[in-house]
Every structure is written in structure tokens, then in C-alpha cells.
Amino acid sequence: MQANEQDIIRGCIDGDRVSQKKLYDHFAAKMLGACMRYAKDRAEAEDMLQEGFIKVFQNISRFKNEGSFEGWVRRIMVFTAINYFKHRARHFQENLDMEDYDAPFQANIVEKISAKEILVFVQQMPEGYRLIFNLYAIEGYTHREISEQLGIAIGTSKSQYSRARQWMQQVLAKHFHILNEPFEEPK
Amino acid sequence: MEIKPSDAHWEKLAQNLPPDNFEKIMLDKLENIRLDPYPETWTNIEQHLPLPRPVNKKYLYYSLLFFMLSVGVIAVYFMNTQKEINKIPPFENKENIVNKDQVKTILKSNENGRSGSSTSKVKNNEILKGQKMLAFNQGDHQKHIIPTVPLEKVLVNKKEEKTETLTVDDHIKLSNAVAEIDQAPLLSSKTENLKENKIENISAGDLIPIPAITSEKNKNSINNSLVISVEPLAQKTAEKKEDENKSMITIPKKDSLAILDNLPSVSERVNVSNYSSDKPSFFSFTSFAGTTLSFSRYVAPQNSYGSFDKNIALRKELETPVPDLSAGFILNYDVSKRFSISSGLVLTNFRQEFRYDTVAPQSQLNTVQQDAKYIHQQDSITNAKVQTADIKYSFTEIPVYVTYKAFHSRKFEIDIQGGFSYAFISGINAYIINQNNVGVMVLNGPDDFPKIKGTAFITLQPMFAYKMSDDVSIGIMPTYKSSLGSIIQNQYWVQQYPYFIGLHVFLRKKF
């Protein structure tokens, strides 16, 4: 850990407002980007960010210098997002209606779509899909770890991720194909 | 309700998943998205944080008081040990033969081996027998100016509350995404400035507005996209974090989540008016004062007439270190997190007590220097410590130090400072036993035989500091300083290498 970051953390432990503001300014943008993937809109993401940072400052004295500090902050944001999911009493649905649109994943298509567009699609994903999609594909948790965190079966985690992935592929493909179809004026 | 799929179901699903780099692409796209939060987010966070503890200034006042008392005690001691001046001009050697009519015989009957008589030349202001003698003309001695700490700058701690917005150069501005995302219906009722929109149930097949595509070739494309499936969005209700009973899923508590459940209590509100400046500080100013003990290392000249061994031995026996004042100020510049360079001005006094006695000359008077000033020119100097004189050299140093920050915590600092300095002679009042230990030379200026010159010193001093605030530290600093060259200019005379050990207190201010 850099010496400057250590000084800021020490200041935050002592309750120094300037150090806390520095810490917030340094990590807020990146953490809000992470919260945006878990939330369904900007407002909810801001709420997650707010709650996450309150927990960061209240528990910063427990940071043991094991691993990166950014990783520790990110884990708190992830747990905050999980708590949001739990408190809204969401559950995982298995029998969603999905069109039989056979759209295999095409990397060259996805690479042409910008990050912010993909973010919008992620936010529109069903909540259960979105949570497990983020935990598995972005955060790198295994299905076993996800099942332990959420109290679900491993198979549920795998199936939810599979559906999330299919959902994303179909949306991306449709989005790209719609964009590339020649525009026909309505008759 | 949770429906657990069978393993066969998963196997079928897994078969349909072709190996690809979907996760990698998603990770690359989504991992490093950055978005500047609303300004009121920090305000909301701040309201939930306990107010910072006020700075306890009594330690500052006690430390300043201790520092001032230390300087005062040292100054009083220094002034009280200055002896009254009895202007006894040294015998300037004009002739070697003393007229008998002018000599007054003084009988000695001391048991310590003082026998015979002394044939010292007596003038109107008699040689004071048994009392301390000082051929010291204070008027010729330069006064030392000890720099004082600008107390007004230390006591009045002008701290301003500042809010600083850091600009992060590597933030990717997704202003378009923010604007686009803002078009989505807002649900939160917590953020006061956010608009409230009604949330309508959206079913499969409905059109959901998608933000305009920003790529050039897709500018004229339609903005709406067909929704494949959408989970019905429930209307937002007022949330209460305390109401745990509304959760439909019983989630077993895990250790990784329990860390977030135990929140420390909010401390009492205390008015805090000042915050320390958060701008980076590269410069600091250190003032210090203390005492040093002075020693000398003598080296016989390589090319000389006669032996100086007995002379050196007698000098070592008769010259005793005496504590004297040393003070100065240093300006430090931080070149890195660990190192800083320093320079300034240091005043160091070399002081020894010269205790001796005289007897009838034991050897011939053939070692008198033509351009030297003497007292007891005709007497042999002995180790009977009856008479006392002060030997004093005042040095004005210009140092160049390097400081290594060995240990820095919230309250304590340990630095190792070392380096070189060049010391100019700014004052001399010295006595040097003549060769063959007959007579004592008196030096009142650098040009008096054997001529005194400045020299370089090497210094090593660890600094133990206590941080009273972010900018002000006090501490103690033991010092070792040794000359790299002799202060005696005459290469045919005994070379003298002074060295010091001392203890100082210091006050450091960052700015």
C-alpha cells in the first residue's frame, strides 16, 4: 500500500473529515460504476454508493492491510448490493418467458457496442440475473461462493447465470441486428 | 419461491453454452466504468459520520512552555557562567631576558610539589593567585545571536477549513451515459433533488426507450428496441432499513456479511471549527537549542622541532569539557517521501575549562614564539589544578544535511539526520600550553599564533519528534559532530580536531 494511502486511512480512522473526503473522492467514481451494474437505475446506484461508503468509514479500522484497500472497498459495495437484493425480497425466477431466439455469442458484435450501452442492458436485466451475472462474470466469484453468499443452491446459481448470459446475448444481438437492418419507412 | 433445477437441466444448459470469451469481454467492458456521483451524495454520507474530535491544544501549549523553559534555563546557565573580565593583558614577548629589578619573588610552599619560587613578571594589576584568571576581553568577542522561534506563528494556528475537489485525470467521463441513464425513471425518494417518476408495469413485448446510439453510422436508426422479457417492476414503496421482517428470504448470516452488521455508535456532536490544511507540504522549518560537550583530538605535527608528546599529554589532562550552548535553525525540503535535504545556520560553542598551576621553569626558555602572546611565560605549567581559565571557540556553521524518515506514525516521528557543514571561526578566547610546557599562549583572534582556521564537520543526529498537530512537531535530538580537519593553521604545531556530543530540543513547523 502506498504511504499516501496509509496516511489517508489513518486520518479516516481518526475521524479526520479531510482524509475521509480524500478517500471518497479517490474511490467514488469507480465504486459508483460498480454500483451501477447492480442497481436498476442511477438513483438506486447512488443509494448503494452512499450506504457503502458509510460502512467503509464506520469499519475502516477493521482493515488489516491484507490485500488492496480498493478491493476491500469494492467488497463492501458488493455486499451492500447483495443486501439491497435481500431487503427487497427478490427471488430467483426460473420460468421466465424467453423467446426462442437462437443468437450465439459473437464477440465481434459485442466489441462494437460501447460500455455504457452494455451497462444500460445490464440494468434492464431481471434482478436475479443481474446480481449473479455481476458476481460471476465481473467480480469473479465461483458458483459455490455465490451460493454460500446468497443461501441458494449451486445449481440455482449456475442456471441463473446461464439465463442471464442468454438474456444478454439475445438483447445484444437484437440490438445490433436492429441497428444494422435497413430502415423501412412505415407504409 | 425457489425452484431447484435438476442436474440434467443444467447439463442441457451447459451443452448449449459454446466456449467463448463472453465473460472476458463483459469484464473488459464493465469493470472500469467510472461515473462521478451527485454532489449531494457526499453531503448525505457526511451526515451519517461522527464529527471529528477536536484537537487537544493543551499539549501544544505545554510543549511550547517546556521548550521556552529549556531555552531559558540554558540561556541563564550560559550567562551565569560568564566570568567577570579582569583585563589582564597577556605578556607580549618583546624580550627574553627579564630585568631582575622588576621581578618580585613569590614564595610557594604547596605540598603538591610546588617548590622554589616563581619569577613571573608582575604589573600593576597583579596576577591573581589562586583565583580564576581570564585574559578575556569581552569587547573583542563576537556575540552570538541565537535565532528565536517566531512564537506568533506557532501559537496562532491559522487553520482554515477547506474543501478540495480532487481532479482525477484518469476518470473516463461518461457524460453521455449519465445523461442517458438519467432519462430512466427515478425511483428513490431519499435524494431530495431527484425527480419522482411513476413506474409503470412493463410486460413482455412493450417498447422501452433506449438511449440514442452514439456511433456515427447508427445515428439515424430507431431508438426503441424490442424488449425480450421484463420482470414486472413493482412500485417503489417507502423503505425502512430497520424493518427486517419484510424480507421474504431468510438468508443465513455469514461471517463475510456479519462484518457489516455491527456498526459503531455515533459519537456526541462536538463543535469543530478548524481543519488542518490538506495541501501537500514540502518545506519545514526547524529551530533547535541545546547543550554540547566539547572534546579535542590532538595530533603531533609530522615536521616539527622537538617532541610534542608531553605537551599533548598535559593538555589532555588539564583541559576539561564544559557544557555550552548550541543552537540554530534548519530549513528542510522534502525531495521524496523518505528523504529531505536541509540547510541553515548553526552556532556551536567549543568550551573547555583549563585548570592548571605554575612552577619555576623546568626547561630553558627557548621555545617562545615571536608572534605569540603569553601568560606565565617563564613558568612551567603543572597539573595542580589551582588556576582556572576558559577555552572557548565559537563556530558558525553552514550545514548541508540529508534527513531520512525512518519511522512516521500518527503521533511520533523518528528521523535520522546527517551531513556536512563548514564552520567559520566567529570568536576565540583560548589558551594553549606552549611547547615544553613552559608558558601559556593566549589567543584572542584567529590570527594569533598558531593561527586558528575554520574547518568542515560531519554531523549525525537522530531526531525523535512528537507531532502536536499535522504541521508542528517538537522533539529531542542527540548530536554527534566531529571535525574533518584541524583548526590549527600552523602545520608545525599540534593539530587540534574538535568534536562534540550534545543534546538539543527542537521545534519543527511544516508549511
Side-chain angles (χ1 to χ4, degrees), chain A residues 67-123:
Chain A
S68 76
F69 181 73
E70 181 177 332
W72 184 78
V73 174
R74 182 185 290 274
R75 278 195 298 278
I76 290 182
M77 296 297 165
V78 169
F79 293 145
T80 304
I82 293 173
N83 284 341
Y84 260 75
F85 174 82
K86 291 189 294 179
H87 290 161
R88 274 204 301 273
R90 294 300 180 194
H91 54 278
F92 300 99
Q93 292 189 358
E94 294 290 341
N95 51 349
L96 289 177
D97 294 330
M98 292 176 63
E99 283 192 13
D100 292 332
Y101 190 89
D102 211 0
F105 176 65
Q106 297 181 17
N108 54 342
I109 294 176
V110 179
E111 285 173 356
K112 294 175 184 176
I113 302 177
S114 66
K116 59 189 177 186
E117 293 168 316
I118 295 178
L119 179 64
V120 171
F121 296 139
V122 170
Q123 288 188 325

Side-chain angles (χ1 to χ4, degrees), chain B residues 457-502:
Chain B
F457 282 88
I458 184 169
T459 302
L460 181 65
Q461 46 195 23
M463 307 173 76
F464 304 93
Y466 171 75
K467 295 175 71 172
M468 298 186 297
S469 69
D470 287 341
D471 298 331
V472 180
S473 311
I474 61 164
I476 59 172
M477 182 174 70
T479 301
Y480 172 76
K481 186 179 308 199
S482 177
S483 63
L484 297 176
S486 171
I487 60 173
I488 304 298
Q489 194 166 351
N490 192 319
Q491 60 179 335
Y492 298 107
W493 202 257
V494 172
Q495 300 301 298
Q496 182 175 353
Y497 297 82
Y499 62 96
F500 307 85
I501 56 173

Side-chain angles (χ1 to χ4, degrees), chain B residues 211-493:
Chain B
I213 306 302
T214 57
S215 55
E216 286 294 328
K217 62 179 179 181
N218 293 326
K219 270 189 177 178
N220 296 323
S221 60
I222 58 176
N223 292 331
N224 294 335
S225 173
L226 188 65
V227 176
I228 304 304
S229 67
V230 175
E231 185 179 346
L233 298 174
Q235 290 190 354
K236 179 121 178 107
T237 59
E239 293 185 7
K240 295 183 179 180
K241 289 184 182 179
E242 300 85 358
D243 192 358
E244 294 284 343
N245 293 328
K246 284 191 176 179
S247 171
M248 292 177 59
I249 300 177
T250 302
I251 305 298
K253 274 195 175 182
K254 303 294 180 183
D255 292 338
S256 56
L257 297 178
I259 191 173
L260 304 174
D261 296 336
N262 299 323
L263 303 177
S265 59
V266 178
S267 61
E268 295 180 3
R269 289 181 175 273
V270 179
N271 290 327
V272 177
S273 59
N274 293 326
Y275 295 102
S276 61
S277 171
D278 56 355
K279 60 181 180 183
S281 58
F282 296 103
F283 290 95
S284 61
F285 179 85
T286 304
S287 62
F288 62 93
T291 59
T292 53
L293 280 177
S294 314
F295 305 86
S296 283
R297 183 170 61 91
Y298 297 109
V299 177
Q302 294 187 357
N303 301 320
S304 65
Y305 299 102
S307 171
F308 282 91
D309 294 343
K310 290 184 179 179
N311 180 258
I312 292 174
L314 185 61
R315 289 182 70 179
K316 285 182 179 179
E317 194 174 349
L318 300 188
E319 294 169 355
T320 309
V322 174
D324 207 338
L325 180 68
S326 171
F329 62 88
I330 300 289
L331 185 65
N332 310 292
Y333 175 71
D334 293 338
V335 295
S336 71
K337 287 293 180 185
R338 287 285 184 181
F339 289 93
S340 62
I341 57 173
S342 313
S343 185
L345 198 67
V346 179
L347 304 176
T348 306
N349 288 327
F350 176 99
R351 188 171 172 199
Q352 291 181 328
E353 193 175 60
F354 175 49
R355 300 187 68 186
Y356 67 100
D357 203 358
T358 57
V359 293
Q362 306 290 325
S363 61
Q364 295 179 355
L365 302 175
N366 57 356
T367 59
V368 174
Q369 303 299 324
Q370 293 295 328
D371 50 353
K373 304 173 186 176
Y374 286 93
I375 57 172
H376 310 300
Q377 184 185 7
Q378 308 294 332
D379 297 334
S380 288
I381 307 303
T382 70
N383 59 358
K385 299 177 182 178
V386 175
Q387 304 184 55
T388 306
D390 272 350
I391 298 173
K392 189 165 184 176
Y393 299 93
S394 298
F395 295 98
T396 301
E397 297 177 62
I398 297 178
V400 176
Y401 295 146
V402 174
T403 306
Y404 173 69
K405 300 177 184 178
F407 173 78
H408 272 221
S409 69
R410 187 72 182 156
K411 286 295 181 186
F412 296 98
E413 297 175 336
I414 299 177
D415 297 338
I416 309 296
Q417 186 172 73
F420 300 92
S421 63
Y422 189 81
F424 300 91
I425 295 288
S426 53
I428 300 176
N429 175 50
Y431 300 86
I432 299 178
I433 302 174
N434 195 14
Q435 193 179 10
N436 292 334
N437 299 340
V438 176
V440 175
M441 293 187 295
V442 178
L443 287 78
N444 295 127
D447 292 330
D448 293 340
F449 186 89
K451 292 190 177 180
I452 307 299
K453 62 180 175 67
T455 185
F457 282 88
I458 184 169
T459 302
L460 181 65
Q461 46 195 23
M463 307 173 76
F464 304 93
Y466 171 75
K467 295 175 71 172
M468 298 186 297
S469 69
D470 287 341
D471 298 331
V472 180
S473 311
I474 61 164
I476 59 172
M477 182 174 70
T479 301
Y480 172 76
K481 186 179 308 199
S482 177
S483 63
L484 297 176
S486 171
I487 60 173
I488 304 298
Q489 194 166 351
N490 192 319
Q491 60 179 335
Y492 298 107
W493 202 257

